[in-house]
Amino acid sequence: MGGYGKTGARIEDILAPVEREALADQVASRLRDAVANGHIAPGDHVVESAIARDLGLSRAPVREAIRMLCQQGLMTQKPNRGFFVRQLSAVEIEDIFGLMVCL
């Protein structure tokens, strides 16, 4: 197959790989901070298109970040409704405080 430029180099040799994972991690970190700082409250609907627009990104890394946060238990997905910041029950809060006391 053909290459690029006069040398015929392959594109993999010319360009550094794009790190989509790092971008999703950065978005997840920003969302995590927004929840921790109270800017996004428990139970709030998290709209990926609005976040992507506000951050100047495509929806793909935002979607990936939200799914990572779902796996970590910070957000939940409700079928046909979207993503929401997880609300802790009274029992879960008691468990967390009990664990903090033990530590």
Side-chain angles (χ1 to χ4, degrees):
M1 294 190 97
Y4 292 90
K6 293 179 183 177
T7 63
R10 297 179 318 159
I11 196 71
E12 297 88 14
D13 298 330
I14 299 168
L15 300 175
V18 176
E19 301 207 18
R20 292 194 67 84
E21 306 270 331
L23 189 56
D25 288 339
Q26 291 175 36
V27 173
S29 179
R30 286 188 182 190
L31 289 172
R32 198 178 300 109
D33 289 346
V35 171
N37 293 326
H39 299 295
I40 304 174
D44 278 358
H45 186 208
V46 179
V47 182
E48 75 180 47
S49 60
I51 294 168
R53 181 191 64 237
D54 292 347
L55 294 176
L57 301 171
S58 70
R59 291 173 60 173
V62 175
R63 185 179 311 117
E64 187 176 342
I66 292 172
R67 288 195 175 134
M68 287 172 21
L69 295 174
C70 285
Q71 290 176 344
Q72 295 169 7
L74 184 63
M75 295 188 182
T76 59
Q77 182 177 15
K78 295 182 182 179
N80 301 318
R81 295 199 55 225
F83 296 99
F84 295 82
V85 177
R86 185 167 173 235
Q87 293 180 297
L88 297 176
S89 69
V91 172
E92 291 171 315
I93 292 170
E94 283 181 27
D95 289 345
I96 290 168
F97 280 109
L99 179 61
M100 290 171 62
V101 169
C102 290
L103 293 175

